[in-house]
Amino acid sequence: MSWTKEEKVAAKLLADVRPQNICNDEAYTDSTGKDIAQLQDQDDGSFAGDEWGENDTRFLFGALNALSLLRLLPLVDVAKAVSHVQACANFDGGYGVSPGAESHAGQVYVCVGALAIAGQLDLVDKDRLGGWLSERQLENGGLNGRPEKLQDVCYSWWVGSSLAMIGKLHWIDKGKLTDYILACQVSGLGLPRFYSLTPLGSRSRRHCRSSGRYGRCLPYRLWYRWTEPHRLSCSRGS
């Protein structure tokens, strides 16, 4: 099977790479590891996502995760990668996409995850970060990704996993979060892929339009298609 360059880059950086599927081919495994390693910036320890150089902490986590699964972490400068993650830490305990960037729950997950892989969780200010993450829970039990934003079921993972890694999962109300997630479930399907961002009716069609995030309205289209009597559409032209 032949792979395009783009397919190889994507496959290498997937966080759920399955080492048992490729480790039998030592030559391919070594080549994969070297291709990932060359994406590291030798000056600051960060990683680009591809040859064009887009750079943020998601790629650093993806690289360390893939290399650790392949048992090839020594191919990169882990110490410099850890230093870059630390440079992305903020006064509120969170982490951003790059040094000085706003804290975001998704970036917290990848930064803390990278430190966990590197065996450097002791560098995390667990109380300060745990406080910031626990403040992401809203009255309805859902979690948001940063202050003054709406809840979204995806943050159940980003926030919850981060809290678990630093031993602070008990700092949120797990019962309320569970109820919120179940309220977002599509009746009769039960598939996380088809979860609404929020419970039915709590966000309007107008909000989807005004947000400009048309792609994120796809769960609503699926919800409204299969749920009566709310047959609405959040597509651009309707």
Side-chain angles (χ1 to χ4, degrees), residues 17 19 36 61-74 117-118:
V17 61
I36 295 174
F61 169 73
L64 294 192
N65 191 41
L67 290 171
S68 69
L69 289 169
L70 296 172
R71 302 178 183 88
L72 293 174
L73 267 180
I117 292 169

Side-chain angles (χ1 to χ4, degrees), residues 5 9 14 23 44 62 66 77 79 92 119 123 133 138 144-145 177 181 187 199 216:
K5 191 174 187 69
V9 170
L14 279 175
C23 283
D44 65 12
D77 192 328
D92 54 16
L123 297 176
L133 288 169
L138 305 180
N144 62 20
L177 177 58
I181 293 172
S187 177
R216 293 176 68 79

Side-chain angles (χ1 to χ4, degrees), residues 179-219:
D179 290 342
Y180 169 77
I181 293 172
L182 293 176
C184 295
Q185 188 176 14
V186 175
S187 177
L189 292 177
L191 302 174
R193 182 181 179 84
F194 297 113
Y195 275 21
S196 165
L197 302 182
T198 56
L200 179 62
S202 62
R203 290 173 78 183
S204 68
R205 172 177 167 181
R206 180 183 61 79
H207 177 86
C208 288
R209 283 175 169 275
S210 63
S211 69
R213 302 293 295 275
Y214 295 102
R216 293 176 68 79
C217 289
L218 179 58

Side-chain angles (χ1 to χ4, degrees), residues 141-155:
L143 300 162
N144 62 20
R146 50 200 170 112
E148 304 301 324
K149 295 295 182 179
L150 293 173
Q151 65 283 344
D152 183 318
V153 285
C154 74
Y155 296 118

